[in-house]
Structures are given as structure tokens and as C-alpha cells.
Amino acid sequence: AARAEVTARWEMLYRGTTAREEAALGAATAREADAALHALQDSSPGSLTVYVVPEGSALLPQGTDVYVGKHRSALVRARQGLATLHARLQQLTQVMSFSASSVAAALSDRVPNSQLGPDTRRHLKSSLGYEITFSLLNPDPKSHDVDWDIEGAVNHYVQPILDKLSLVANFSVDSQILYYAVLGVTPRFDKESSSFILSAHSLPHVINPVEARLGSSAASLYPVLNFLLYVPERSHSPLYIQDKDGAPVATNAFHSPRWGGIMIYNVEAPASPQASLPLHVDVDMVRVMEVFLAQLRLLFGLSREELPPEFLVESPGNEGLADWELDCLLWAHTMENIATVSTTLTSLAQLLDQISNIVIKDDVASEVYRAVAAVQDAMAELAEGRLRSAFLASKEAVTSSERAFFDPSLLHLLYFPDDQKFAIYIPLFLPMAVPIFLSLAKMIREARQSKKEPTKMD
């Protein structure tokens, strides 16, 4: 659908642009042109507008042939005829729309491991809601008095991206401070740098001891994303993370697929050894939130693939998410929702085949019919390129299928096979049935004897 729309838009541009579009394309920079063209575009999810500029245009920087903006548009420099332009359009649609790798990532739980890449199972599974928890871990409160403005940071950095993702799912955000919470892994001291090191192979052992202290997923109905800021204790400071090659990690952080991320925040040593404890620490929330937002994008599968050198992709800025990236996410979740509904209804049909005497209530049947109709609507809307309505229909299908599958009347334990029924009821009724059977046998014998005796005639 995206490629078809690009082709249609290219035919319109070939016939000529409007006066307002010409004025917007006369901006000084590509960023200014993208902002001006945004008001003139079709801003519905799933749409894509491509503007072709002359080869000698100064709108694109030197060495840049394709500019991808923050919205649902791109600028392409015309070079060497239509064949080259067609190749550029194909590359562009693969970057800004649903590619084969996106399909594999969306259906990773239903594809054999041999057909998947190493990163396809890192993305979060589609859900109706997510819970985000920011945790500050202070294992040494006697030495460090840590102060972080998490509320202001969430409102300024996190809330804009959650507002854009509100179409995808519902989000709830909370925070907590945990004292005397350690990583559970003893770091190695490096004499050359006079610092402590966490190697890459020890990072998987960090999460389990910390997760036991979080307690955020105990009563959660939705997946929980954990973002931890760890201030090392004074005896293990400074603490740095090394990658597999032994090089220090620039962000001093790492993320765990479908779980969250951890950042280690080192505190500068006091200038005077006689400084009073605890030291007051004001966390630089700008640096911390840059790392957490990057990890959040990785969890949602929004990491950008390696692009050709002539491509220039505009940063989404404070919003943290470009409009076309939101479309890619909607595509992925719509496909995953449709696959989830198919799996759920198939499992329900198998359950009904296994239990012959199961009772299907009218409300359960209505949910099944509603789920099937919603899936059909989602597929039809997706084929027509109406991404928003397709995603909403897929969410409705998931909700209806889950209600039908988890209905209390369909619990497997409520229905017993015939052999189990005999095994349960025979020991109960056999002691009562023995005297009855003996009395019936005695009555039958007496009836037979009465027939054999001759009738006396007076």
C-alpha cells in the first residue's frame, strides 16, 4: 500500500506541484521545507509523500540524495533519469514502510528459529497496555544522598513520546527509590584505570537479583518495562561496563530484550577526603533520559537499520518518535494482532474438538463471531492502506478473542472425559448399588419359582 501510494504521488508530481508546495520547497534548508510541507500533506497514518527536487537544488546538503523528515514525507534528488529515481523510491519505501525484516520481527513467535535473525525476538510483543517503571537504586545511602527529578524528566522527555504512542497502547508510568539494592554481581577491579569493571558476560546475572526487589510485575496485567538507574556504592566506584571486545561502553548502560534497561551513574569523588557523608548527588536527568529513551526505542523495535551514505534522516527531536516510525509500529502491531487472534481462535477450536460435551454460551459465541469479523475488517482496511482503522480493528479482535478463550465457562477442569467420570462416580455409587442389585436378583428368583409351582384347584 505504501509503494502504491508513492507511485500515485509521483504521478501527481510529474504533472506539477501546487503553488503552496513550490513555496515550501523554496525554503533554505530541508528541515524548514519538511516543517512547511507538513501542513500540506495527507497526515493520516500509513500515507507517504515524496517530493522530487532538481539535481542542482541547494535544498539538500552536498552528498545527500534522499532526505527523510520527521513527518510522512521525503525529499529525493533527481539524478540520471527515471531508472535511478525508481531505485531510490524503492530504497525509500523500504526504510519508511513495512519491510521483510519488520514482518519477521512481528511474527517472530510463530516462525522457526532457523529462519530468524539474531535481533528479531528483541522487540516487545504487542499488548493493549504497558507499564513503565523508573527505579533509582542506591545501595549505599550512608555515602550517597541521591536526588533525581524523575517527575519533571518524565513530563519533559517521556510524556511526548507516550502521547504519540497512545494510539498503539495505554501506558502508565511510576517511579520508586530502592535502598541497599545491589546488582548481585561483584565487579572486577582494574588496576590500570583504577576503576571497577562489569564485563559483558556478567551482565545477564545482574537482572535476576535486582528484579526480585522491584516488585512491579507481581500484580501487573500488562508487560512491565523497567528502567533502572544504579548509583554504585562507594567501595565499587567508579564502575564501568565493558563490551565483548573489552572496550568501555559509551553510555555505561545496557538493555535486556523485552524487559528494560540499566544505566550505571558514577558519582565524582569529593575533592577533600574529609568531606562529610553522605554526599549530595544531583542526577543529570538529561543524560539519563537520553539513554532511557534510546532503550525504549530499542524495546519497541524502532532502531534504524544501516542506511546508504546518501540518505539523511531527520532526528525526531523532543517527540522521540517520527510520524513514519509510528506508522511502522502500527503496521507491525496490526500484523502481530491478526496472528495472535488466529492462534487464539485455533487453540479454542482445538479445545472444543477435544471436549465433546463442552457447553458454549451465547456470549462466548458472540465474542468469537466478533473477533472473526474484526480480523476480516482489519485485513480489508490494511489492504486499502487505512492503517489507523486496521489497527483499531485488530485491537478489537484481540480483545474479543481473549474474552472468548478465557471465559470461566470454558475451563478445561469443568469437563471430564467419560473414563474419568466412571472412575469418579463408580466408587461412590457401588456400595449403594450392591444391596439394590441383590434385592432385584431375589425378586426375580421368587417370581420364577412362583411360575413353576402348580396352581391348586378346589
Side-chain angles (χ1 to χ4, degrees), residues 28-30 53 57-67 75-77 312:
T29 63
V53 298
S57 174
L59 189 60
L60 298 179
Q62 188 68 25
T64 300
D65 289 344
V66 178
Y67 171 83
L75 304 178
V76 178
R77 190 191 301 274
L312 175 62

Side-chain angles (χ1 to χ4, degrees), residues 4-203:
E5 191 165 350
V6 167
T7 304
R9 185 58 179 172
W10 158 243
E11 293 174 355
M12 293 175 61
L13 290 175
Y14 183 75
R15 293 190 295 268
T17 56
T18 64
R20 297 179 65 186
E21 289 175 332
E22 290 287 352
L25 290 173
T29 63
R31 178 181 299 178
E32 294 176 357
D34 178 63
L37 291 169
H38 176 54
L40 309 177
Q41 300 165 5
D42 178 12
S43 58
S44 60
S47 62
L48 178 59
T49 308
V50 179
Y51 297 92
V52 181
V53 298
E55 183 176 359
S57 174
L59 189 60
L60 298 179
Q62 188 68 25
T64 300
D65 289 344
V66 178
Y67 171 83
V68 180
K70 296 195 301 182
H71 308 292
R72 297 178 175 92
S73 65
L75 304 178
V76 178
R77 190 191 301 274
R79 286 185 183 273
Q80 301 175 357
L82 293 177
T84 304
L85 179 60
H86 180 69
R88 287 294 186 211
L89 291 178
Q90 286 185 334
Q91 290 179 319
L92 180 64
T93 52
Q94 290 178 357
V95 172
M96 299 182 68
S97 65
F98 206 43
S99 60
S101 59
S102 302
V103 176
L107 306 178
S108 59
D109 290 343
R110 299 161 183 86
V111 178
N113 293 330
S114 58
Q115 302 179 11
L116 296 176
D119 297 332
T120 51
R121 295 188 185 275
R122 293 179 177 271
H123 306 163
L124 284 167
K125 296 180 63 177
S126 177
S127 176
L128 300 178
Y130 299 92
E131 297 186 10
I132 301 178
T133 300
F134 294 96
S135 302
L136 172 63
L137 274 61
N138 186 0
D140 192 8
K142 295 181 179 179
S143 302
H144 298 141
D145 179 18
V146 185
D147 183 19
W148 68 334
D149 184 16
I150 187 61
E151 183 177 359
V154 168
N155 293 333
H156 190 268
Y157 299 102
V158 181
Q159 196 58 46
I161 189 173
L162 295 185
D163 291 339
K164 299 196 71 171
L165 290 175
S166 60
L167 180 61
V168 178
N170 297 321
F171 290 88
S172 62
V173 182
D174 55 17
S175 63
Q176 60 182 345
I177 300 178
L178 301 179
Y179 297 101
Y180 301 103
V182 297
L183 294 181
V185 176
T186 303
R188 174 179 56 85
F189 181 72
D190 185 22
K191 295 183 179 179
E192 296 182 0
S193 59
S194 298
S195 62
F196 292 85
I197 303 298
L198 276 178
S199 57
H201 70 272
S202 63
L203 296 181

